[in-house]
Amino acid sequence: MNGSLSSEGFYEGAKKAAHKAMDDHGRTEYDEFALHAGVAVEKLAKAVLASKNPVYLVEPRNEDMLLYFGGHLELEEEKVRTVGAKEAISRLRKIGVLRADPKLDLLIAMRNGAAHSTPESALAKEMISPLARTIETLLEDFGETLEAFWERWTDAVQAAVNEQEDQVFRDVQLRITQARHAFEDRFKNLPPGSMERVLAGAGPKPSPSINVVGINGGVPVFDAAGGDCPSCGGPSILTFEPTEVTATNTHYRANGFTCSVCSFKAVGADEMAALRKASTPPMLAEIALSHGPTLTPAEVAVLKAQNG
């Protein structure tokens, strides 16, 4: 039998497609992600079926395929046909390898549609969970480990389906890993040490003191050092938004994180909370700036009105 139609051949094809899917997800190309994720599931499903009996790959009512996979008929490679993803999954459910999962069915439907039209990106983005769960179940039956299959994506995939954490935290964890891999990939074909020189050229880590960058409606606008980027280790910057104005102080909360080296970003209170949870040591969360002389109640009221 053709090596690409063996269980090992399908496994390697699934692994390649799964890694492409994760790369697509990291580049926010969610339509391509859905396509490659579906291919990965299909190929690994066929690997499991072939490992049990190659005949399980036969299309219904195809006598030539039955004889070919039974080892009694020679066919040219381009004439060989196997079951599609939907049928492969159905057979694995019948023999107890997979359970019914509407999200997996949706992923396969999106995969089939992605070849002809673009699926909704927001929906495709969330398909990483059924992809990861299905791959894990199939690998367990196939006798392979997550680490051997996912390699550098292992931790990110496990974080993406960690039900003990909320969705925002899982998303931030995944994006940290995606940014790290994208940054490392930029140096694949460059001389050794290139990545280290880029990080060194980014300059020394900024001091923890704040940096006032302007005035908006009478309220200072500033950023501050964010410490080492959790993705690449480069210097990062925190941005702040005012949350409360008193007679003597304006209170600010960090609402953005940016690394100029690998371009990892986090925006908004929820993502910043998740980033602080994921980062060691913890970064600044809130700062209060003194106005100097005490403001009158009328001046405080004006500043509050200007800043919502």
Side-chain angles (χ1 to χ4, degrees), residues 30 57 62 75-76 88 103 131 170 179 201 204 215 225 242 263 298:
Y30 300 125
L57 297 173
N62 192 325
L75 287 175
E76 296 178 6
K103 289 189 175 181
L131 167 67
R170 296 200 301 265
I215 301 293
S263 300

Side-chain angles (χ1 to χ4, degrees), residues 227-306:
D228 293 352
C229 172
S231 178
C232 71
S236 61
I237 294 295
L238 290 170
T239 56
F240 290 80
E241 65 176 0
T243 57
E244 182 184 7
V245 179
T246 69
T248 56
N249 297 287
T250 300
H251 296 264
Y252 293 82
R253 178 179 58 223
N255 74 325
F257 175 98
T258 303
C259 175
S260 60
V261 180
C262 71
S263 300
F264 172 73
K265 293 182 179 181
V267 179
D270 291 344
E271 290 193 0
M272 290 304 299
L275 183 58
R276 286 192 293 272
K277 183 176 180 180
S279 300
T280 303
M283 60 187 66
L284 286 172
E286 295 180 335
I287 289 178
L289 290 185
S290 172
H291 298 141
T294 301
L295 299 179
T296 67
E299 290 172 324
V300 171
V302 169
L303 286 178
K304 286 184 176 180
Q306 291 173 335

Side-chain angles (χ1 to χ4, degrees), residues 4-295:
S4 65
L5 297 173
S6 65
S7 58
E8 293 79 11
F10 282 120
Y11 170 83
E12 291 299 328
K15 182 176 178 180
K16 183 177 180 180
H19 287 213
K20 284 184 178 179
M22 296 302 294
D23 288 335
D24 294 333
H25 199 281
R27 293 192 297 267
T28 68
E29 294 176 358
Y30 300 125
D31 53 343
E32 292 295 317
F33 164 75
L35 177 59
H36 287 128
V39 170
V41 170
E42 176 180 357
K43 288 185 177 292
L44 193 55
K46 291 180 181 180
V48 173
L49 287 173
S51 70
K52 298 182 179 303
N53 192 323
V55 175
Y56 292 168
L57 297 173
V58 174
E59 291 182 317
R61 300 180 299 278
N62 192 325
E63 184 177 310
D64 284 351
M65 291 302 100
L66 179 64
L67 295 173
Y68 172 79
F69 283 105
H72 294 91
L73 180 67
E74 294 293 328
L75 287 175
E76 296 178 6
E77 181 177 346
E78 60 270 17
K79 293 183 179 180
V80 177
R81 298 288 183 270
T82 59
V83 292
K86 186 176 181 180
E87 181 62 29
I89 290 170
S90 175
R91 292 180 183 184
L92 289 172
R93 285 172 175 165
K94 288 178 180 178
I95 62 177
V97 175
L98 291 176
R99 294 182 298 176
D101 183 352
K103 289 189 175 181
L104 173 58
D105 295 337
L106 177 59
L107 172 60
I108 297 305
M110 295 181 72
R111 178 260 177 177
N112 293 336
H116 307 289
S117 60
T118 303
E120 184 180 347
S121 292
L123 187 59
K125 177 183 177 181
E126 303 304 321
M127 291 296 102
I128 192 167
S129 291
L131 167 67
R133 287 196 300 268
T134 303
I135 292 292
E136 182 175 9
T137 300
L138 293 174
L139 287 175
E140 183 177 354
D141 189 90
F142 192 66
E144 269 293 359
T145 64
L146 284 173
E147 291 77 10
F149 184 86
W150 285 114
E151 296 179 350
R152 67 177 187 170
W153 287 109
T154 302
D155 290 343
V157 170
Q158 290 177 322
V161 294
N162 184 353
E163 299 298 340
Q164 302 304 312
E165 302 290 355
D166 63 45
Q167 180 59 46
V168 175
F169 182 81
R170 296 200 301 265
D171 183 59
V172 169
Q173 287 282 82
L174 176 61
R175 283 161 42 206
I176 288 172
T177 303
Q178 290 171 331
R180 179 185 304 124
H181 292 338
F183 179 67
E184 292 171 349
D185 288 348
R186 287 161 51 187
F187 302 93
K188 276 185 175 180
N189 299 317
L190 296 179
S194 296
M195 182 170 68
E196 290 74 14
R197 287 192 290 273
V198 166
L199 288 171
K205 304 294 188 295
S207 68
S209 60
I210 65 172
N211 176 37
V212 178
V213 295
I215 301 293
N216 184 4
V219 177
V221 177
F222 68 93
D223 56 31
D228 293 352
C229 172
S231 178
C232 71
S236 61
I237 294 295
L238 290 170
T239 56
F240 290 80
E241 65 176 0
T243 57
E244 182 184 7
V245 179
T246 69
T248 56
N249 297 287
T250 300
H251 296 264
Y252 293 82
R253 178 179 58 223
N255 74 325
F257 175 98
T258 303
C259 175
S260 60
V261 180
C262 71
S263 300
F264 172 73
K265 293 182 179 181
V267 179
D270 291 344
E271 290 193 0
M272 290 304 299
L275 183 58
R276 286 192 293 272
K277 183 176 180 180
S279 300
T280 303
M283 60 187 66
L284 286 172
E286 295 180 335
I287 289 178
L289 290 185
S290 172
H291 298 141
T294 301
L295 299 179

